[in-house]
Amino acid sequence: MSTTPPTIRWGILATGGIAQTFTKDLLVDPKTRGVDTVVHTVVAAASSSSKSRAEQFLKDVGAPSSTKAYGSYKEFVKDPNIDIVYIATPHSHHYQNAMLCLEAGKNVLCEKAFTVNAAQAKRLVKKAKEKALWTRYFPLSIYVRHLITSHHLGTIHRVSADLSMSMSPESTFPDDAHRMVNPALAGGALLDLGIYALTWCFQTLYHTQPAETRKPPKVASAMQLYKTRADEMTTILLTFPRSKEQGGDAHAIASTAIRVAVDPDEKHSAGPAVRIQGDKGEVQVFHPIFRPTKTKLVLCDGTVEEKDWPQPGPGKGSGWKNGFGETMRNPEGEGHGMFWEADEAAMALVEGRKEGRFEGLEESVLIMEVMDEVRRQGGLRYPESIESTELPVEL
């Protein structure tokens, strides 16, 4: 006898571009991606600027007509119908916004970067009920981790991951106010782009190790600062300690920049953005590594296997489109991929879990500690108002 899947009621905190992308994905029928264990709906959205902006946002994403709009986050978190809040503010505001929601008893799904620093992350973990980085929940990512844990690649010795996008910050962000270059918004390549390169290093060399034996990596880094004192280029060398029986230490290089591109012609002519190398071969992941759709397996026995991983959705002919910003528009009927993390968060709630299966809260804090150390080595310090763990903080 079939049972009706539970409906998870979402609240969307903030109404910018990533909120719109997430919410449109969220409202796609889960059956289009083979999920029949949960259903999503949106019951509320809030804009810090005005209720009318929240109302327009709900119209733009096609939310149910009964969805409530709020012009205040404090009023929004009081809504008793919200099961999970998706936080879509700049990462400079994640700590304050997440704590507001958690203090109100709400479950929270918070996007990258989790917080500005590890101290904030640790404070949230004491209360936290969910955190994710959406890329980890893609079927492609699960496939890559399976290649590692099944020893298909042998012992993994080295990983390199890069997320760099070519632009001239002087002309692209002439007023220096954009989150990419503005220290007041925790700007810079590291927290905005580099987090994805780090995530590929961690999900392949740390997450795949036994939890009882894995250890934090040693960190060495180089950083180039922009005129605003946000970073414009950062390179990180990680050494993951392992026993001799596990193959000895493994190395990872995570890099990010805003003046050079990892995929200059956007046709993958420059090769993969991620290489995961073992003694039996390697698997490659192609740009963009936050939403990858192509892998290539190359083994020492001569096996070469390329796979495409298009995102599911309503399909061609539906007239439905999603994407992010003006330049990243997905093919008609193809989702952006953010529904995978929504499904995981919903199932965590249904099953009574406080963290995701593919990135625990302990690992989230460790990644923040690594980024803290990289910023320390590079001399990158954000304003005290966004580094602080004291509440309330006016931003």
Side-chain angles (χ1 to χ4, degrees):
M1 184 175 69
S2 62
T3 58
T4 302
T7 297
I8 303 302
R9 303 168 300 176
W10 289 80
I12 310 299
L13 191 150
T15 56
I18 196 64
Q20 184 169 113
T21 302
F22 175 85
T23 307
K24 290 185 72 175
D25 260 17
L26 183 71
L27 294 172
V28 172
D29 185 350
K31 291 180 180 177
T32 62
R33 53 187 180 272
V35 174
D36 59 7
T37 53
V38 69
V39 175
H40 305 282
T41 191
V42 177
V43 296
S47 168
S48 61
S49 59
S50 68
K51 180 179 178 181
S52 62
R53 182 167 180 176
E55 291 172 336
Q56 185 60 50
F57 167 82
L58 292 171
K59 291 179 182 178
D60 292 342
V61 299
S65 58
S66 59
T67 306
K68 293 184 178 180
Y70 292 90
S72 161
Y73 294 163
K74 290 182 179 179
E75 292 302 314
F76 164 83
V77 298
K78 296 177 184 177
D79 191 319
N81 295 312
I82 298 173
D83 294 319
I84 307 178
V85 175
Y86 177 73
I87 295 178
T89 51
H91 32 254
S92 54
H93 292 49
H94 284 181
Y95 174 67
Q96 291 80 4
N97 296 153
M99 191 64 80
L100 175 68
C101 294
L102 293 170
E103 292 283 4
K106 302 300 184 189
N107 297 283
V108 170
L109 176 60
C110 186
E111 202 54 75
K112 63 84 186 172
F114 188 16
T115 53
V116 171
N117 56 44
Q120 292 179 346
K122 290 175 182 177
R123 289 283 293 269
L124 287 182
V125 161
K126 291 181 180 180
K127 290 180 174 289
K129 300 184 180 180
E130 185 68 17
K131 185 270 174 188
L133 194 143
W134 57 304
T135 310
R136 289 208 187 201
Y137 295 89
F138 284 18
L140 179 152
S141 297
I142 295 171
Y143 159 78
V144 168
R145 293 194 300 270
H146 176 70
L147 289 176
I148 296 169
T149 57
S150 65
H151 304 290
H152 207 67
L153 303 174
T155 300
I156 306 300
H157 290 282
R158 185 171 65 180
V159 172
S160 62
D162 180 63
L163 181 55
S164 299
M165 296 184 177
S166 180
M167 64 187 78
S168 167
E170 290 86 358
S171 57
T172 308
F173 316 118
D175 62 0
D176 296 334
H178 191 274
R179 62 179 172 79
M180 187 62 77
V181 296
N182 186 353
L185 296 177
L190 177 62
L191 264 65
D192 199 88
L193 303 176
I195 179 67
Y196 290 105
L198 278 172
T199 289
W200 276 102
C201 297
F202 267 84
Q203 73 166 324
T204 54
L205 286 179
Y206 182 81
H207 187 80
T208 55
Q209 289 191 50
E212 62 274 13
T213 60
R214 62 193 184 195
K215 298 176 181 179
K218 299 174 184 177
V219 182
S221 64
M223 178 180 287
Q224 184 163 313
L225 299 178
Y226 186 53
K227 63 180 181 179
T228 61
R229 303 297 294 173
D231 69 303
E232 63 173 66
M233 182 167 63
T234 297
T235 304
I236 307 165
L237 173 62
L238 302 172
T239 302
F240 288 87
R242 294 188 310 197
S243 67
K244 290 184 178 180
E245 292 73 23
Q246 292 174 307
D249 294 353
H251 292 176
I253 300 173
S255 53
T256 184
I258 60 174
R259 291 190 188 272
V260 295
V262 65
D263 186 23
D265 63 0
E266 299 184 355
K267 297 178 181 179
H268 302 154
S269 301
V274 177
R275 296 180 69 186
I276 300 149
Q277 299 175 299
D279 52 22
K280 293 183 180 179
E282 70 176 65
V283 62
Q284 303 170 351
V285 182
F286 290 79
H287 179 77
I289 62 174
F290 51 85
R291 186 187 180 270
T293 57
K294 180 182 178 180
T295 59
K296 185 175 183 179
L297 178 67
V298 183
L299 300 181
C300 296
D301 65 8
T303 299
V304 177
E305 181 179 286
E306 296 187 38
K307 297 187 71 170
D308 292 319
W309 301 81
Q311 291 292 346
K316 291 182 179 179
S318 64
W320 184 90
K321 291 186 177 182
N322 201 6
F324 180 70
E326 297 299 322
T327 58
M328 189 172 294
R329 309 310 300 174
N330 306 327
E332 180 188 10
E334 187 175 306
H336 202 63
M338 304 194 82
F339 32 57
W340 299 116
E341 67 171 351
D343 294 341
E344 171 64 18
M347 289 310 300
L349 178 61
V350 171
E351 296 170 358
R353 290 186 280 113
K354 290 188 175 183
E355 54 190 359
R357 292 172 297 160
F358 304 143
E359 182 180 0
L361 294 168
E362 166 268 333
E363 189 174 344
S364 298
V365 171
L366 178 55
I367 292 174
M368 292 308 308
E369 289 176 336
V370 167
M371 290 198 290
D372 280 358
E373 176 59 18
V374 171
R375 289 200 295 124
R376 186 194 69 78
Q377 292 181 13
L380 174 56
R381 174 78 183 177
Y382 295 121
E384 185 59 29
S385 59
I386 64 171
E387 294 268 11
S388 176
T389 58
E390 299 300 316
L391 291 171
V393 176
E394 294 297 327
L395 298 175

